Amino acid sequence: MKESKLESFQSIYRRACERKGGERVLEAMLQAPLSKAQIEAIPDDRFLAAMTKKVFQSGFVWRVIEQKWPDFETVFFGFDIDKVLLMPDEMLEQKASDKRIVRNYKKVMTVRDNAMMIKDVALEHGSFGKFVAGFEKDNITELWAFLKKRGARLGGNTGPYMLRALGIDTFLFSRDVEDYSRKNEIIDGGLTSKKSLSAANAAFAQWHEESGRSLQEISAIVAYSWGTNNQVA
């Protein structure tokens, strides 16, 4: 990121207001993330459930996963970490052929893999929520990188979208945010490269310092100020 070229948050905000019909309309479109205390209180099973939902939604019709989700909860024992970890390969193979869920063996295997990651982190930090709550505005992409490295199929946008679904504060590389970041020379090259993630995180951290707003709100405002902004921001 070339800091001298970073647009001020106030300029972005004014443009978003103009495009969305005024400040009152824009503000009504924004949502606040959870507090650190609320993140710490998220049960480990809800993290596993959210990871599983996003893994299965990736490259698939989201609506179908939503419709089948109650059965996913049943099939995987409410995503109870210890129960999932006790599932042998043979049981997972059976789950992968269960018509109540989407039958995808590789994705089914991620449930136990991600349960193992959550368990390991919880043993060290007290809970997965306490671990996640320890990340700040200026290093949230380090959490993305951790999920990609230690988790199963949580790279790309899957990990960040999972965090957002739980109400955890993060920006997202939606199409509009990515396009804005490239056109304004904040990032170049690979979207998930360490260089790009660090540069984007630095930009959002600076806008947070300017505005006092959450990364989630800033992400939405950037998207609303740019492009079609008709998807999650």
Side-chain angles (χ1 to χ4, degrees):
M1 179 186 68
K2 300 176 181 179
E3 188 172 342
S4 61
K5 291 190 175 183
L6 185 64
E7 184 179 14
S8 72
F9 177 79
Q10 192 58 39
S11 175
I12 297 170
Y13 183 80
R14 284 197 301 268
R15 188 168 61 250
C17 287
E18 291 171 359
R19 299 183 85 229
K20 290 302 176 185
E23 183 173 349
R24 182 178 298 179
V25 175
L26 177 63
E27 291 293 338
M29 299 173 71
L30 305 177
Q31 293 182 324
L34 299 180
S35 66
K36 283 186 177 293
Q38 289 173 319
I39 294 171
E40 290 180 359
I42 298 174
D44 288 345
D45 62 89
R46 291 305 88 196
F47 275 103
L48 182 58
M51 290 174 188
T52 303
K53 180 178 281 189
K54 289 307 172 189
V55 166
F56 273 87
Q57 285 178 332
S58 179
F60 201 74
V61 181
W62 286 33
R63 174 176 48 82
V64 173
I65 304 302
E66 289 289 353
Q67 291 172 345
K68 288 178 173 286
W69 193 249
D71 288 326
F72 271 86
E73 292 277 354
T74 300
V75 167
F76 293 108
F77 312 111
F79 295 98
D80 181 286
I81 302 297
D82 292 327
K83 289 181 180 179
V84 169
L85 289 176
L86 287 173
M87 294 168 63
D89 290 348
E90 295 77 13
M91 184 179 289
L92 286 170
E93 289 176 7
Q94 292 174 358
K95 303 291 186 186
S97 61
D98 193 318
K99 294 181 180 180
R100 291 176 294 174
I101 66 172
V102 173
R103 290 170 287 177
N104 184 309
Y105 176 72
K106 291 183 178 179
K107 289 188 176 183
V108 165
M109 294 298 289
T110 69
V111 181
R112 191 179 62 187
D113 291 339
N114 286 325
M116 188 174 299
M117 172 188 66
I118 291 171
K119 183 71 171 183
D120 289 343
V121 170
L123 287 173
E124 182 177 352
H125 295 272
S127 73
F128 198 78
K130 289 180 179 179
F131 169 72
V132 170
F135 287 84
E136 303 293 342
K137 301 284 191 294
D138 61 356
N139 71 343
I140 194 63
T141 55
E142 291 180 18
L143 176 56
W144 296 11
F146 175 88
L147 292 170
K148 177 182 179 179
K149 181 179 180 180
R150 290 285 300 277
R153 292 189 173 227
L154 296 176
N157 273 331
T158 305
Y161 272 77
M162 178 275 296
L163 296 173
R164 175 65 67 81
L166 285 171
I168 296 162
D169 194 24
T170 185
F171 67 92
L172 295 176
F173 273 135
S174 64
R175 288 190 298 273
D176 292 321
V177 172
E178 179 186 355
D179 189 56
Y180 174 90
S181 299
R182 291 191 185 282
K183 297 288 176 56
N184 287 274
E185 300 184 6
I186 295 172
I187 64 171
D188 55 30
L191 186 63
T192 59
S193 69
K194 185 175 181 179
K195 178 183 176 183
S196 291
L197 293 179
S198 178
N201 206 153
F204 275 88
Q206 182 168 323
W207 288 324
H208 165 69
E209 287 296 319
E210 290 179 26
S211 66
R213 290 180 179 268
S214 67
L215 299 179
Q216 178 172 318
E217 292 172 309
I218 295 169
S219 185
I221 291 167
V222 170
Y224 293 149
S225 77
W226 195 263
T228 57
N229 55 69
N230 60 0
Q231 72 282 338
V232 177

